[in-house]
Amino acid sequence: MKAMRLARIDAPELSGSPRCRGAARVYADCDEGRAIAARDNLRRLVSLGPVRCGVVDADPRIPGFQSTDRYGRSVVRCTVNGIDLGEEQVRQGFAVRWPRR
């Protein structure tokens, strides 16, 4: 399975993430406990039914359409039973909106 990123959210990073190494760490939320809780909640959400995903623009701040982020991951919006998974992660406090306004 190819790596994907949920669009328009920023969630805590697991300790193995490149964003939690070296100088990059100051820009990322590298709280392992919060990252595991976010991951587990997402797993719970996807278990509720069939998941449908579509590729969206990776960065709305940049002109033109980019289907992948700077790490080569497809950027997607996914739903399960009509629930937007990214928005639900934000609503439940497991992620914040991105880009931040």
Side-chain angles (χ1 to χ4, degrees), residues 25-54:
R25 185 177 175 86
V26 299
Y27 299 106
D29 179 351
C30 297
D31 183 310
E32 186 79 2
R34 287 176 18 90
I36 290 169
R39 180 201 63 198
D40 291 350
N41 191 63
L42 186 58
R43 284 180 175 167
R44 183 189 66 76
L45 291 171
V46 300
S47 74
L48 298 175
V51 177
R52 298 197 186 340
C53 297

Side-chain angles (χ1 to χ4, degrees), residues 8 60 77 87 97-101:
R8 312 298 180 263
R77 280 205 183 242
E87 288 297 318
R97 282 192 173 66
W98 180 92
R100 294 187 176 115
R101 295 165 203 218

Side-chain angles (χ1 to χ4, degrees), residues 6-94:
L6 284 177
R8 312 298 180 263
I9 70 166
D10 192 14
E13 303 282 340
L14 292 167
S15 59
S17 166
R19 293 186 65 202
C20 290
R21 294 189 199 125
R25 185 177 175 86
V26 299
Y27 299 106
D29 179 351
C30 297
D31 183 310
E32 186 79 2
R34 287 176 18 90
I36 290 169
R39 180 201 63 198
D40 291 350
N41 191 63
L42 186 58
R43 284 180 175 167
R44 183 189 66 76
L45 291 171
V46 300
S47 74
L48 298 175
V51 177
R52 298 197 186 340
C53 297
V55 175
V56 298
D57 188 10
D59 191 340
R61 302 169 303 177
I62 300 172
F65 184 87
Q66 302 89 39
S67 62
T68 59
D69 68 7
R70 63 182 169 182
Y71 302 106
R73 300 173 295 188
S74 295
V75 177
V76 297
R77 280 205 183 242
C78 297
T79 60
V80 61
N81 297 331
I83 299 167
D84 182 299
L85 296 177
E87 288 297 318
E88 191 64 12
Q89 286 286 84
V90 170
R91 190 184 74 72
Q92 292 185 23
F94 293 101

